[in-house]
Amino acid sequence: MGVLLIAHPWETSGKSASLALNAQRFPHRWLGIVVALSQAALSAGAKTCVRALAKGGHHLQVILFYLSIICLAASSVVLFCIQHGPVAPLLWQWGLLLAV
């Protein structure tokens, strides 16, 4: 629900001038909306699977450890194969990252 409230996918169709300007500034907006919605659905599925596996006798920390290792491997493949490497933050962005 939060993704829908923030992304406003209903504003991506229409004929107004502001929509045309947004389409020029953000040409891949639909891709971002689809990725955000699929991430939310997959995250809910992962939490459901972890809860079901924990009831089956596996320790919760072991399940979360293996889940994080698999997600790290998958995101590394996507980062280096699709995006062609990481993008380094600017100096002020490093400050924000360290402040959080």
Side-chain angles (χ1 to χ4, degrees):
M1 186 69 156
V3 173
L4 291 176
L5 291 175
I6 291 173
H8 298 283
W10 52 87
E11 290 183 0
T12 57
S13 60
K15 301 292 182 199
S16 71
S18 65
L19 292 177
L21 181 62
N22 280 338
Q24 288 175 352
R25 286 192 295 178
F26 308 110
H28 302 294
R29 183 173 179 186
W30 273 107
L31 178 64
I33 291 170
V34 169
V35 167
L37 288 174
S38 62
Q39 185 274 333
L42 291 173
S43 176
K47 289 180 182 181
T48 304
C49 288
V50 166
R51 189 178 305 133
L53 287 172
K55 287 182 183 177
H58 298 286
H59 199 272
L60 186 62
Q61 290 177 343
V62 174
I63 297 168
L64 292 177
F65 174 73
Y66 284 121
L67 178 66
S68 63
I69 294 296
I70 289 171
C71 290
L72 176 70
S75 63
S76 297
V77 167
V78 170
L79 176 67
F80 289 107
C81 294
I82 295 176
Q83 192 182 8
H84 305 295
V87 178
L90 300 174
L91 184 61
W92 66 273
Q93 292 171 335
W94 276 113
L96 287 175
L97 286 170
L98 294 174
V100 172

